[in-house]
Amino acid sequence: MTEAILLVGGKGTRLRPLTVHTPKPMVPAAGVPFLTHQMARARAAGVEHIVLATSYLAEVFEPHFGDGSALGLRLEYVTEDEPLGTGGAIRNVADRLESAPGDPVLVFNGDILTGLDIAGLVATHRDSGADVSLHLTRVEDPRAFGLVPTDATGRVTAFLEKPQTPEEIVTDQINAGAYVFDRAVIDSIPTGRAVSVERETFPGLLADGAHLQGMVDSTYWLDLGTPHAFVRGSADLVLGRAPSPAVPGRRGERLVLEGARVADDAKLTGGTAVCEGAVIGSGAVVDGSTVLAGAVVRPGAVVVDSLIGAGAVIGERTVVHGSVIGDAAHIGADNELRHGVRVWCGAVIADGAVRFSSDQ
């Protein structure tokens, strides 16, 4: 296995305002763009060549990663002129692949944090003789996901839409967003239009009698599509619960990048990451949160399970709990933001303007 496709073209709408200026895979998690963790894990599994399928804010990727040599990779970038869906994006980069028709090609979604045994998925694909192999994971409540039942040998038997009733929950296995395609299958995807691998390609292959193999790997798995999940994923990387060779420092309760300033009496816990140039003031408490580059958390502020955007300011004694503060927003002193509040980039909230009563 020497090459892979990374699907990084999504707009990240559910993550706004984090993705107003930054594509979702480039939002920092544990101090580096999330995509860095995916590429580092792929490289550790033997991948040498990665093609990035870009679309939204496509111009951001190449200036950061260049040719990939810093990660021991060869990177190429292909930008969609218009959204093509997951299948269309895969097909759109096919001419950059170097694999022969029968060779396996890894495909990753750019918003999944996982401990997947990548080499194991490739081995499953080879050993089973499948046309496509899928990473499957088990979840306690599969109602929010499409279900992927398999037979006793692991062969996929169906792709089922999100179940609406208890009787429709025939398995707890879901599509976990990583695949191995035979190169020939990629070349068979229609060109010039949007195609969904989940809704069109996979069901169509199954109907035509193709062999789709599932490999259940229930190690760490998290879809980073929401702010809450993204903050949790970053904290899990810092704490060492989620595996990555790209975390830029020792794992533990806190990760403070070079150039950040943290007051001696500030308290950082729960996998908090403080990025370069950020400032944490005296007596501040930051728990399970991400503070992006150049942000300021002023003295006495409390930030819990939240993400503070680049260049944002959190005023003295302000409480931010389970919320997202956009880039360059300014939250004045003595405010209280809770319950998933999102503050837009550049917004200004005056001192004491937002408070929650004790029964809220």
Side-chain angles (χ1 to χ4, degrees), residues 38 107-116 121 133-139 145-148 159 172-179 198 202 214-224:
Q38 286 190 310
V107 178
F108 298 105
N109 282 316
D111 55 1
I112 301 295
L113 178 59
T114 176
L116 168 67
L121 182 62
S133 297
L134 297 84
H135 171 208
L136 307 179
T137 192
R138 292 190 171 99
V139 294
F145 304 94
L147 309 184
V148 187
F159 290 91
D172 59 357
Q173 296 174 177
I174 67 166
N175 179 352
Y179 320 112
E198 300 86 357
F202 292 158
M215 187 190 86
V216 177
D217 183 321
S218 295
T219 54
Y220 186 98
W221 183 86
L222 186 64
D223 178 347
L224 301 185

Side-chain angles (χ1 to χ4, degrees), residues 172-196:
D172 59 357
Q173 296 174 177
I174 67 166
N175 179 352
Y179 320 112
V180 180
F181 279 76
D182 270 4
R183 167 64 191 275
V185 175
I186 292 175
D187 292 336
S188 73
I189 297 173
T191 61
R193 66 175 178 86
V195 179
S196 165

Side-chain angles (χ1 to χ4, degrees), residues 260-274:
R261 290 184 288 132
V262 178
D264 291 341
D265 62 346
K267 186 177 182 181
L268 308 183
T269 57
T272 287
V274 181

Side-chain angles (χ1 to χ4, degrees), residues 245-328:
V247 176
R250 294 181 60 184
R251 290 171 173 80
E253 289 291 316
R254 55 189 272 174
L255 174 68
V256 179
L257 270 64
E258 186 175 353
R261 290 184 288 132
V262 178
D264 291 341
D265 62 346
K267 186 177 182 181
L268 308 183
T269 57
T272 287
V274 181
C275 294
E276 61 278 359
V279 178
I280 310 297
S282 176
V285 174
V286 187
D287 178 51
S289 298
T290 295
V291 181
L292 295 185
V296 177
V297 177
R298 288 188 167 154
V302 176
V303 178
V304 179
D305 296 340
S306 297
L307 194 146
I308 310 303
V313 176
I314 308 302
E316 290 88 345
R317 299 172 301 280
T318 282
V319 175
V320 179
H321 195 295
S323 300
V324 176
I325 310 302
D327 296 345

Side-chain angles (χ1 to χ4, degrees), residues 9 11 55 80-85 88-89 193-195:
K11 292 184 177 181
S55 179
E80 301 169 13
D81 294 327
E82 57 186 48
L84 293 173
R193 66 175 178 86
V195 179

